[in-house]
Protein backbone atom coordinates (compact mmCIF):
# COMPACT_ATOMS: atom_id res chain seq x y z
CA UNK A 1 0.00 0.00 0.00
CA UNK A 2 1.47 3.36 -1.01
CA UNK A 3 2.33 5.77 1.79
CA UNK A 4 1.97 8.70 -0.58
CA UNK A 5 -0.91 10.89 0.53
CA UNK A 6 -3.15 12.51 -2.05
CA UNK A 7 -3.27 16.28 -2.17
CA UNK A 8 -6.59 17.74 -1.09
CA UNK A 9 -8.45 19.20 -4.05
CA UNK A 10 -9.76 22.05 -1.90
CA UNK A 11 -6.35 23.15 -0.64
CA UNK A 12 -4.92 23.05 -4.17
CA UNK A 13 -7.80 25.15 -5.55
CA UNK A 14 -7.47 27.65 -2.70
CA UNK A 15 -3.73 28.08 -3.30
CA UNK A 16 -4.24 28.30 -7.05
CA UNK A 17 -6.82 31.05 -6.48
CA UNK A 18 -4.36 33.00 -4.31
CA UNK A 19 -1.70 32.82 -7.05
CA UNK A 20 -4.16 33.76 -9.80
CA UNK A 21 -5.41 36.73 -7.78
CA UNK A 22 -1.87 37.90 -7.05
CA UNK A 23 -0.90 37.68 -10.72
CA UNK A 24 -4.04 39.53 -11.75
CA UNK A 25 -3.39 42.32 -9.24
CA UNK A 26 0.24 42.55 -10.34
CA UNK A 27 -0.80 42.82 -13.97
CA UNK A 28 -3.30 45.58 -13.17
CA UNK A 29 -0.72 47.41 -11.04
CA UNK A 30 1.85 47.38 -13.85
CA UNK A 31 -0.80 48.52 -16.34
CA UNK A 32 -1.79 51.45 -14.15
CA UNK A 33 1.83 52.47 -13.58
CA UNK A 34 2.04 52.87 -17.37
CA UNK A 35 -1.19 54.89 -17.38
CA UNK A 36 0.17 57.12 -14.58
CA UNK A 37 3.40 57.65 -16.49
CA UNK A 38 1.57 58.69 -19.67
CA UNK A 39 -0.67 61.14 -17.76
CA UNK A 40 2.35 62.71 -16.08
CA UNK A 41 4.20 62.98 -19.40
CA UNK A 42 1.17 64.85 -20.74
CA UNK A 43 1.18 67.11 -17.66
CA UNK A 44 4.87 67.99 -18.08
CA UNK A 45 4.37 68.78 -21.78
CA UNK A 46 1.42 71.10 -21.06
CA UNK A 47 3.32 72.82 -18.23
CA UNK A 48 6.28 73.35 -20.57
CA UNK A 49 3.99 74.80 -23.25
CA UNK A 50 2.40 77.19 -20.76
CA UNK A 51 5.66 78.98 -19.91
CA UNK A 52 4.78 81.81 -22.25
CA UNK A 53 6.16 80.39 -25.46
CA UNK A 54 4.17 80.41 -28.71
CA UNK A 55 2.13 77.29 -28.20
CA UNK A 56 1.47 76.20 -31.78
CA UNK A 57 5.08 76.40 -32.97
CA UNK A 58 6.80 75.38 -29.76
CA UNK A 59 4.33 72.58 -29.01
CA UNK A 60 4.94 70.99 -32.40
CA UNK A 61 8.71 71.25 -31.99
CA UNK A 62 8.57 69.93 -28.42
CA UNK A 63 6.60 66.82 -29.36
CA UNK A 64 8.82 66.07 -32.36
CA UNK A 65 12.00 66.46 -30.32
CA UNK A 66 10.62 64.36 -27.45
CA UNK A 67 9.58 61.60 -29.84
CA UNK A 68 13.04 61.37 -31.39
CA UNK A 69 14.93 61.36 -28.09
CA UNK A 70 12.55 59.07 -26.15
CA UNK A 71 12.50 56.57 -29.01
CA UNK A 72 16.28 56.56 -29.04
CA UNK A 73 16.45 55.99 -25.25
CA UNK A 74 13.43 53.73 -24.68
CA UNK A 75 12.51 52.22 -28.04
CA UNK A 76 8.99 51.84 -29.44
CA UNK A 77 5.89 53.51 -28.04
CA UNK A 78 6.94 57.15 -28.23
CA UNK A 79 5.86 58.20 -31.70
CA UNK A 80 4.68 61.78 -32.21
CA UNK A 81 1.13 60.47 -32.43
CA UNK A 82 1.39 58.68 -29.07
CA UNK A 83 2.93 61.70 -27.35
CA UNK A 84 0.04 63.83 -28.62
CA UNK A 85 -2.27 61.29 -26.97
CA UNK A 86 -0.36 61.67 -23.68
CA UNK A 87 -0.92 65.43 -23.85
CA UNK A 88 -4.60 64.94 -24.70
CA UNK A 89 -4.93 62.41 -21.86
CA UNK A 90 -3.85 65.02 -19.31
CA UNK A 91 -6.16 67.67 -20.79
CA UNK A 92 -9.19 65.39 -21.16
CA UNK A 93 -9.63 64.18 -17.58
CA UNK A 94 -10.83 66.65 -14.91
CA UNK A 95 -8.31 65.61 -12.30
CA UNK A 96 -7.16 69.16 -11.69
CA UNK A 97 -10.70 70.18 -10.70
CA UNK A 98 -10.84 67.31 -8.22
CA UNK A 99 -7.49 68.39 -6.82
CA UNK A 100 -8.74 71.95 -6.41
CA UNK A 101 -11.73 70.61 -4.47
CA UNK A 102 -9.35 68.58 -2.32
CA UNK A 103 -7.23 71.65 -1.57
CA UNK A 104 -10.33 73.58 -0.54
CA UNK A 105 -11.30 70.67 1.71
CA UNK A 106 -7.79 70.72 3.23
CA UNK A 107 -8.05 74.48 3.91
CA UNK A 108 -11.32 73.98 5.76
CA UNK A 109 -9.70 71.29 7.89
CA UNK A 110 -6.81 73.64 8.67
CA UNK A 111 -9.15 76.49 9.63
CA UNK A 112 -11.07 74.19 11.94
CA UNK A 113 -7.85 73.21 13.69
CA UNK A 114 -7.65 69.73 12.18
CA UNK A 115 -4.34 68.48 10.86
CA UNK A 116 -3.84 67.77 7.17
CA UNK A 117 -2.18 64.45 6.43
CA UNK A 118 0.82 64.16 4.21
CA UNK A 119 -1.17 62.03 1.80
CA UNK A 120 -3.43 64.93 0.85
CA UNK A 121 -2.27 66.31 -2.47
CA UNK A 122 -1.68 69.92 -3.43
CA UNK A 123 -3.05 70.85 -6.90
CA UNK A 124 -0.83 72.06 -9.71
CA UNK A 125 1.91 69.72 -8.55
CA UNK A 126 5.45 70.62 -9.46
CA UNK A 127 7.75 68.24 -11.28
CA UNK A 128 8.86 66.74 -7.95
CA UNK A 129 5.40 66.27 -6.40
CA UNK A 130 3.26 63.21 -7.01
CA UNK A 131 -0.45 63.05 -7.64
CA UNK A 132 -2.52 60.11 -6.40
CA UNK A 133 -4.08 59.36 -9.79
CA UNK A 134 -5.75 56.19 -8.56
CA UNK A 135 -8.13 58.47 -6.63
CA UNK A 136 -9.35 60.05 -9.86
CA UNK A 137 -8.77 57.48 -12.60
CA UNK A 138 -9.72 53.79 -12.54
CA UNK A 139 -6.71 51.48 -11.99
CA UNK A 140 -8.68 48.57 -13.48
CA UNK A 141 -8.37 50.06 -16.97
CA UNK A 142 -5.46 49.78 -19.38
CA UNK A 143 -3.93 52.50 -21.53
CA UNK A 144 -5.87 51.08 -24.50
CA UNK A 145 -9.11 51.71 -22.59
CA UNK A 146 -8.07 55.32 -22.00
CA UNK A 147 -7.08 55.75 -25.64
CA UNK A 148 -10.64 54.78 -26.60
CA UNK A 149 -12.10 57.18 -24.01
CA UNK A 150 -10.09 60.07 -25.46
CA UNK A 151 -12.26 60.16 -28.58
CA UNK A 152 -15.23 61.33 -26.47
CA UNK A 153 -15.75 65.08 -26.40
CA UNK A 154 -18.25 65.24 -23.52
CA UNK A 155 -16.68 65.09 -20.06
CA UNK A 156 -19.74 63.41 -18.50
CA UNK A 157 -19.67 60.68 -21.15
CA UNK A 158 -15.93 60.09 -20.62
CA UNK A 159 -16.41 59.72 -16.87
CA UNK A 160 -19.43 57.45 -17.30
CA UNK A 161 -17.69 55.06 -19.69
CA UNK A 162 -14.54 55.05 -17.54
CA UNK A 163 -16.49 54.08 -14.43
CA UNK A 164 -18.82 51.67 -16.18
CA UNK A 165 -15.94 49.90 -17.97
CA UNK A 166 -14.19 49.40 -14.63
CA UNK A 167 -17.35 48.42 -12.72
CA UNK A 168 -18.48 45.94 -15.39
CA UNK A 169 -14.99 44.68 -16.31
CA UNK A 170 -15.42 45.55 -19.99
CA UNK A 171 -12.75 44.57 -22.47
CA UNK A 172 -11.55 47.29 -24.84
CA UNK A 173 -13.73 45.78 -27.58
CA UNK A 174 -16.80 45.89 -25.31
CA UNK A 175 -16.03 49.49 -24.33
CA UNK A 176 -15.72 50.51 -27.97
CA UNK A 177 -19.01 48.80 -28.81
CA UNK A 178 -20.88 50.52 -25.96
CA UNK A 179 -19.56 53.92 -27.02
CA UNK A 180 -20.56 53.31 -30.64
CA UNK A 181 -24.05 52.30 -29.55
CA UNK A 182 -24.35 55.56 -27.52
CA UNK A 183 -25.10 53.77 -24.27
CA UNK A 184 -24.64 56.93 -22.19
CA UNK A 185 -27.13 58.89 -24.29
CA UNK A 186 -29.67 56.06 -24.19
CA UNK A 187 -29.44 55.73 -20.41
CA UNK A 188 -29.63 59.52 -20.00
CA UNK A 189 -32.89 59.74 -21.96
CA UNK A 190 -35.35 59.92 -19.05
CA UNK A 191 -33.03 61.39 -16.40
CA UNK A 192 -32.68 64.94 -15.13
CA UNK A 193 -29.35 66.79 -15.06
CA UNK A 194 -28.51 65.81 -11.49
CA UNK A 195 -29.18 62.13 -12.18
CA UNK A 196 -27.01 62.27 -15.33
CA UNK A 197 -24.18 63.84 -13.31
CA UNK A 198 -24.46 61.10 -10.66
CA UNK A 199 -24.39 58.48 -13.39
CA UNK A 200 -21.26 60.05 -14.88
CA UNK A 201 -19.47 59.95 -11.53
CA UNK A 202 -20.52 56.43 -10.49
CA UNK A 203 -21.54 54.57 -13.66
CA UNK A 204 -24.99 53.11 -14.21
CA UNK A 205 -26.99 53.20 -10.97
CA UNK A 206 -29.76 50.61 -10.54
CA UNK A 207 -32.19 51.76 -7.84
CA UNK A 208 -35.53 51.05 -9.51
CA UNK A 209 -36.91 49.03 -12.48
CA UNK A 210 -36.83 52.09 -14.69
CA UNK A 211 -33.02 52.23 -14.40
CA UNK A 212 -32.72 48.89 -16.20
CA UNK A 213 -34.55 49.98 -19.34
CA UNK A 214 -32.94 51.15 -22.55
CA UNK A 215 -34.81 52.57 -25.51
CA UNK A 216 -33.79 51.68 -28.11
CA UNK A 217 -31.84 48.45 -27.64
CA UNK A 218 -29.10 48.03 -30.24
CA UNK A 219 -28.80 44.44 -31.48
CA UNK A 220 -26.32 44.75 -34.33
CA UNK A 221 -24.49 41.62 -33.16
CA UNK A 222 -27.41 39.40 -34.26
CA UNK A 223 -26.70 39.86 -37.97
CA UNK A 224 -30.42 40.25 -38.74
CA UNK A 225 -30.04 43.47 -40.73
CA UNK A 226 -28.94 41.45 -43.77
CA UNK A 227 -32.17 39.46 -43.87
CA UNK A 228 -35.05 40.62 -46.00
CA UNK A 229 -37.56 39.05 -43.62
CA UNK A 230 -37.31 37.31 -40.27
CA UNK A 231 -39.74 36.05 -37.64
CA UNK A 232 -39.96 36.25 -33.86
CA UNK A 233 -38.51 32.75 -33.59
CA UNK A 234 -35.48 33.93 -35.62
CA UNK A 235 -35.01 36.89 -33.30
CA UNK A 236 -35.27 34.68 -30.22
CA UNK A 237 -32.81 32.10 -31.58
CA UNK A 238 -30.35 34.82 -32.54
CA UNK A 239 -30.50 36.33 -29.03
CA UNK A 240 -29.86 32.92 -27.45
CA UNK A 241 -27.02 32.20 -29.90
CA UNK A 242 -25.44 35.53 -28.93
CA UNK A 243 -26.46 35.43 -25.27
CA UNK A 244 -23.20 36.83 -23.92
CA UNK A 245 -23.44 39.89 -26.17
CA UNK A 246 -27.13 40.29 -25.38
CA UNK A 247 -26.32 40.25 -21.64
CA UNK A 248 -23.78 43.01 -22.27
CA UNK A 249 -26.46 45.06 -24.00
CA UNK A 250 -28.97 44.39 -21.20
CA UNK A 251 -26.56 45.76 -18.60
CA UNK A 252 -25.74 45.04 -14.98
CA UNK A 253 -26.92 42.15 -12.87
CA UNK A 254 -28.72 40.03 -15.49
CA UNK A 255 -28.65 36.24 -15.55
CA UNK A 256 -30.47 34.03 -18.03
CA UNK A 257 -33.21 31.74 -16.68
CA UNK A 258 -35.15 30.21 -19.58
CA UNK A 259 -36.62 30.57 -23.06
CA UNK A 260 -40.18 29.75 -24.07
CA UNK A 261 -41.22 29.51 -20.43
CA UNK A 262 -44.58 27.73 -20.38
CA UNK A 263 -47.48 29.21 -18.45
CA UNK A 264 -50.59 27.02 -18.20
CA UNK A 265 -53.94 28.58 -17.33
CA UNK A 266 -57.03 26.35 -17.33
CA UNK A 267 -55.35 23.82 -19.64
CA UNK A 268 -54.33 26.55 -22.11
CA UNK A 269 -50.60 26.99 -22.69
CA UNK A 270 -48.81 30.30 -23.15
CA UNK A 271 -45.08 30.81 -23.71
CA UNK A 272 -42.89 33.68 -22.48
CA UNK A 273 -40.08 34.23 -24.99
CA UNK A 274 -37.21 34.93 -22.57
CA UNK A 275 -36.92 35.02 -18.78
CA UNK A 276 -34.02 36.65 -16.91
CA UNK A 277 -33.32 37.48 -13.29
CA UNK A 278 -31.69 40.69 -12.12
CA UNK A 279 -29.81 40.48 -8.82
CA UNK A 280 -29.74 44.27 -8.39
CA UNK A 281 -33.50 44.76 -8.55
CA UNK A 282 -34.08 41.27 -7.10
CA UNK A 283 -36.77 40.61 -9.67
CA UNK A 284 -37.59 38.47 -12.68
CA UNK A 285 -37.39 40.22 -16.06
CA UNK A 286 -39.68 38.88 -18.79
CA UNK A 287 -39.08 39.60 -22.47
CA UNK A 288 -41.69 39.32 -25.20
CA UNK A 289 -40.30 39.72 -28.73
CA UNK A 290 -42.27 41.37 -31.56
CA UNK A 291 -40.97 41.84 -35.09
CA UNK A 292 -44.06 43.75 -36.22
CA UNK A 293 -45.98 46.73 -34.88
CA UNK A 294 -47.00 46.71 -31.23
CA UNK A 295 -50.70 46.08 -30.44
CA UNK A 296 -52.77 46.45 -27.29
CA UNK A 297 -53.13 42.64 -27.21
CA UNK A 298 -49.33 42.37 -26.86
CA UNK A 299 -49.40 44.67 -23.83
CA UNK A 300 -52.34 42.76 -22.31
CA UNK A 301 -50.49 39.47 -22.76
CA UNK A 302 -47.40 40.84 -21.02
CA UNK A 303 -49.58 42.09 -18.17
CA UNK A 304 -50.90 38.54 -17.78
CA UNK A 305 -47.36 37.11 -17.69
CA UNK A 306 -46.26 39.67 -15.06
CA UNK A 307 -49.32 38.96 -12.91
CA UNK A 308 -48.69 35.22 -13.14
CA UNK A 309 -45.05 35.56 -12.06
CA UNK A 310 -45.95 37.89 -9.20
CA UNK A 311 -48.57 35.50 -7.85
CA UNK A 312 -47.03 32.10 -8.62
CA UNK A 313 -43.25 32.43 -9.03
CA UNK A 314 -42.02 35.45 -7.08
CA UNK A 315 -40.66 34.76 -3.60
CA UNK A 316 -41.74 36.86 -0.66
CA UNK A 317 -38.39 38.62 -0.37
CA UNK A 318 -38.22 39.42 -4.10
CA UNK A 319 -39.51 42.54 -5.83
CA UNK A 320 -42.26 42.86 -8.42
CA UNK A 321 -41.70 41.23 -11.82
CA UNK A 322 -40.72 43.47 -14.74
CA UNK A 323 -42.02 42.91 -18.27
CA UNK A 324 -40.26 44.31 -21.35
CA UNK A 325 -41.82 44.12 -24.79
CA UNK A 326 -39.06 44.38 -27.38
CA UNK A 327 -40.59 45.44 -30.68
CA UNK A 328 -39.53 46.66 -34.10
CA UNK A 329 -42.14 49.43 -34.18
CA UNK A 330 -43.86 51.22 -31.29
CA UNK A 331 -47.30 52.79 -31.18
CA UNK A 332 -47.16 55.43 -28.46
CA UNK A 333 -50.91 56.10 -28.51
CA UNK A 334 -51.61 52.40 -27.89
CA UNK A 335 -49.09 52.39 -25.03
CA UNK A 336 -50.56 55.53 -23.46
CA UNK A 337 -54.14 54.29 -23.44
CA UNK A 338 -53.45 50.64 -22.60
CA UNK A 339 -51.09 50.96 -19.65
CA UNK A 340 -52.21 52.52 -16.34
CA UNK A 341 -50.70 56.01 -15.87
CA UNK A 342 -48.47 55.23 -12.86
CA UNK A 343 -47.53 51.61 -13.47
CA UNK A 344 -43.83 50.69 -13.11
CA UNK A 345 -43.76 47.06 -14.21
CA UNK A 346 -44.27 46.98 -17.99
CA UNK A 347 -41.99 48.74 -20.47
CA UNK A 348 -42.00 48.91 -24.23
CA UNK A 349 -38.71 49.44 -26.07
CA UNK A 350 -37.73 49.40 -29.70
CA UNK A 351 -34.81 47.35 -30.96
CA UNK A 352 -32.53 48.28 -33.84
CA UNK A 353 -31.02 45.24 -35.60
CA UNK A 354 -27.99 47.16 -36.88
CA UNK A 355 -25.46 49.64 -35.54
CA UNK A 356 -26.78 53.00 -36.75
CA UNK A 357 -24.74 56.09 -37.43
CA UNK A 358 -24.40 58.56 -34.57
CA UNK A 359 -26.83 60.97 -36.22
CA UNK A 360 -29.43 58.23 -36.77
CA UNK A 361 -29.26 57.10 -33.17
CA UNK A 362 -29.35 60.67 -31.85
CA UNK A 363 -32.47 61.35 -33.93
CA UNK A 364 -34.01 58.15 -32.55
CA UNK A 365 -33.18 59.19 -29.00
CA UNK A 366 -34.56 62.70 -29.51
CA UNK A 367 -37.79 61.23 -30.89
CA UNK A 368 -38.14 58.95 -27.87
CA UNK A 369 -37.33 61.85 -25.54
CA UNK A 370 -40.17 63.86 -27.08
CA UNK A 371 -42.51 60.89 -26.60
CA UNK A 372 -41.35 60.57 -23.00
CA UNK A 373 -41.99 64.27 -22.31
CA UNK A 374 -45.43 64.04 -23.95
CA UNK A 375 -46.30 61.06 -21.77
CA UNK A 376 -44.99 62.85 -18.65
CA UNK A 377 -47.15 65.89 -19.40
CA UNK A 378 -50.13 63.57 -19.95
CA UNK A 379 -49.55 61.94 -16.56
CA UNK A 380 -49.29 65.34 -14.85
CA UNK A 381 -52.65 66.28 -16.36
CA UNK A 382 -54.20 63.11 -14.88
CA UNK A 383 -53.32 64.12 -11.32
Amino acid sequence: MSSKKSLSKNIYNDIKQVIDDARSRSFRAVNFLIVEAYWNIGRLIVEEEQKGKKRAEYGSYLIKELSERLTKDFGRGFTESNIKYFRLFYLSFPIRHALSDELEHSKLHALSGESVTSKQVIPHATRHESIELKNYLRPELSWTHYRILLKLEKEKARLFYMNEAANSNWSTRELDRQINSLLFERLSLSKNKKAVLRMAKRGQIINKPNDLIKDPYVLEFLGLENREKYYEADLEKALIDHLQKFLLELGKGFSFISRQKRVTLDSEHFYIDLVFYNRLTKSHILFDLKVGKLTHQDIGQMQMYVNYFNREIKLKEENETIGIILCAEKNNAVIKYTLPPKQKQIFISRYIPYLPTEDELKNEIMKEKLNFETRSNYLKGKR
Side-chain angles (χ1 to χ4, degrees), residues 54-65:
K54 292 180 181 177
R55 228 179 270 182
E57 284 182 21
Y58 182 68
S60 178
Y61 162 78
L62 177 64
I63 287 172
K64 185 176 184 298
E65 183 73 12

Side-chain angles (χ1 to χ4, degrees), residues 181-190 210-218 249-250 324-330 332 335 347-352 361-369 371-372:
S181 70
L182 294 182
L183 175 64
F184 178 71
E185 286 78 3
R186 287 187 286 149
L187 290 175
S188 302
L189 177 63
S190 60
N210 210 56
D211 297 327
L212 291 174
I213 310 303
K214 298 186 181 75
D215 196 5
Y217 286 82
V218 177
E249 172 63 9
L250 290 179
I324 302 174
I325 301 175
L326 208 53
C327 57
E329 191 176 349
K330 289 170 68 171
N332 287 292
I335 296 168
F347 300 89
I348 291 87
S349 293
R350 280 195 63 215
Y351 68 86
I352 302 176
L361 198 47
K362 282 182 178 176
N363 289 336
E364 184 71 31
I365 289 171
M366 289 307 296
K367 184 170 69 175
E368 289 304 322
K369 189 172 185 179
N371 290 330
F372 173 80

Side-chain angles (χ1 to χ4, degrees), residues 106-222:
S106 300
K107 286 179 180 176
L108 290 173
H109 276 292
L111 288 171
S112 65
E114 295 180 35
S115 62
V116 179
T117 67
S118 60
K119 288 184 179 179
Q120 289 174 320
V121 183
I122 304 301
H124 309 298
T126 68
R127 291 169 189 266
H128 303 293
E129 292 173 328
S130 63
I131 294 173
E132 292 288 335
L133 287 182
K134 64 183 179 182
N135 295 330
Y136 310 106
L137 299 176
R138 296 300 296 263
E140 302 94 327
L141 304 184
S142 68
W143 169 239
T144 309
H145 283 93
Y146 285 105
R147 276 281 299 265
I148 294 170
L149 292 171
L150 289 179
K151 70 182 182 182
L152 295 166
E153 293 181 6
K154 294 179 182 176
E155 181 180 291
K156 288 187 183 71
R158 274 199 308 274
L159 286 175
F160 166 77
Y161 287 113
M162 177 183 73
N163 286 311
E164 196 61 22
N167 295 342
S168 301
N169 197 28
W170 287 345
S171 67
T172 53
R173 181 177 294 182
E174 288 166 345
L175 171 61
D176 199 44
R177 188 263 167 190
Q178 296 288 32
I179 290 173
N180 289 334
S181 70
L182 294 182
L183 175 64
F184 178 71
E185 286 78 3
R186 287 187 286 149
L187 290 175
S188 302
L189 177 63
S190 60
K191 292 177 172 58
N192 60 33
K193 289 182 179 179
K194 286 184 179 179
V196 171
L197 184 59
R198 283 196 301 270
M199 189 173 71
K201 289 181 176 179
R202 293 171 51 190
Q204 188 183 7
I205 305 162
I206 309 294
N207 290 325
K208 54 188 183 301
N210 210 56
D211 297 327
L212 291 174
I213 310 303
K214 298 186 181 75
D215 196 5
Y217 286 82
V218 177
L219 307 178
E220 90 291 346
F221 50 85
L222 301 182

Side-chain angles (χ1 to χ4, degrees), residues 72-98:
K72 183 179 178 181
D73 288 342
F74 297 100
R76 297 171 58 186
F78 296 97
T79 63
E80 289 184 47
S81 175
N82 277 346
I83 293 176
K84 287 177 183 176
Y85 272 116
F86 304 159
R87 181 182 182 279
L88 181 61
F89 185 28
Y90 172 74
L91 293 172
S92 295
F93 282 83
I95 296 167
R96 286 161 294 166
H97 304 303

Side-chain angles (χ1 to χ4, degrees), residues 311-334:
R311 296 170 192 175
E312 304 296 333
I313 306 294
K314 183 179 82 69
L315 299 177
K316 190 175 182 180
E317 63 271 19
E318 292 177 330
N319 292 316
E320 298 286 293
T321 303
I322 299 166
I324 302 174
I325 301 175
L326 208 53
C327 57
E329 191 176 349
K330 289 170 68 171
N331 186 323
N332 287 292
V334 167

Side-chain angles (χ1 to χ4, degrees), residues 150-299:
L150 289 179
K151 70 182 182 182
L152 295 166
E153 293 181 6
K154 294 179 182 176
E155 181 180 291
K156 288 187 183 71
R158 274 199 308 274
L159 286 175
F160 166 77
Y161 287 113
M162 177 183 73
N163 286 311
E164 196 61 22
N167 295 342
S168 301
N169 197 28
W170 287 345
S171 67
T172 53
R173 181 177 294 182
E174 288 166 345
L175 171 61
D176 199 44
R177 188 263 167 190
Q178 296 288 32
I179 290 173
N180 289 334
S181 70
L182 294 182
L183 175 64
F184 178 71
E185 286 78 3
R186 287 187 286 149
L187 290 175
S188 302
L189 177 63
S190 60
K191 292 177 172 58
N192 60 33
K193 289 182 179 179
K194 286 184 179 179
V196 171
L197 184 59
R198 283 196 301 270
M199 189 173 71
K201 289 181 176 179
R202 293 171 51 190
Q204 188 183 7
I205 305 162
I206 309 294
N207 290 325
K208 54 188 183 301
N210 210 56
D211 297 327
L212 291 174
I213 310 303
K214 298 186 181 75
D215 196 5
Y217 286 82
V218 177
L219 307 178
E220 90 291 346
F221 50 85
L222 301 182
L224 294 174
E225 72 274 16
N226 298 322
R227 301 191 193 181
E228 203 169 300
K229 187 176 183 181
Y230 55 90
Y231 300 94
E232 283 157 17
D234 298 322
L235 178 57
E236 180 193 325
K237 183 179 184 304
L239 288 172
I240 294 298
D241 289 346
H242 298 84
L243 187 57
Q244 188 173 355
K245 291 179 180 178
F246 186 42
L247 286 169
L248 175 68
E249 172 63 9
L250 290 179
K252 291 181 178 177
F254 279 88
S255 57
F256 176 66
I257 302 297
S258 65
R259 66 187 291 195
Q260 291 298 305
K261 169 70 175 175
R262 189 172 75 178
V263 174
T264 303
L265 305 173
D266 288 341
S267 301
E268 187 174 358
H269 301 310
F270 302 88
Y271 297 88
I272 306 172
D273 290 331
L274 298 170
V275 180
F276 292 83
Y277 190 82
N278 189 278
R279 61 182 176 81
L280 301 177
T281 59
K282 294 182 179 178
S283 59
H284 288 90
I285 317 290
L286 315 180
F287 275 89
D288 204 15
L289 309 175
K290 299 294 171 188
V291 298
K293 194 171 184 177
L294 181 75
T295 68
H296 70 279
Q297 290 95 333
D298 297 327
I299 299 174

